[in-house]
Amino acid sequence: MDNQLLEDIRALLISKRAREIRINLQRAESDADIEEIDIEGELVSVLTLEAAMRAAVKEFKRNKQLISTILAE
């Protein structure tokens, strides 16, 4: 498979995961990582997209390492 295609797929998966974890405020490293967004007239605190992407990339790297360890056994 083409390397660019693999990178695009990885970026999409990380982006999807970042959107899923935006509601997990415990992943915030500082108050700057939290923003309020309007959902149907109600303000909801979520991680900023940047903070969620950082968390998703960290999660991806941990999972990648775990998979490598398992496959090496």
Side-chain angles (χ1 to χ4, degrees):
M1 202 180 276
D2 173 297
N3 280 345
Q4 183 59 51
L5 180 58
L6 290 173
E7 285 296 318
D8 291 346
I9 291 169
R10 183 180 354 198
L12 287 171
L13 290 171
I14 290 172
S15 178
K16 179 183 182 298
R17 182 63 183 139
R19 287 189 305 276
E20 292 171 353
I21 64 178
R22 282 189 83 186
I23 60 170
N24 190 343
L25 298 179
Q26 294 171 334
R27 292 182 181 237
E29 295 174 4
S30 72
D31 290 342
D33 288 345
I34 299 173
E35 66 181 344
E36 287 189 336
I37 60 172
D38 183 282
I39 298 179
E40 298 180 10
E42 184 177 337
L43 287 180
V44 178
S45 294
V46 295
L47 290 177
T48 63
L49 185 54
E50 182 179 336
M53 287 293 283
R54 282 195 316 266
V57 167
K58 287 177 186 176
E59 188 176 277
F60 173 81
K61 288 178 180 178
R62 280 193 311 269
N63 290 340
K64 185 176 176 183
Q65 180 62 39
L66 179 58
I67 290 168
S68 293
T69 301
I70 291 169
L71 292 176
E73 294 177 348

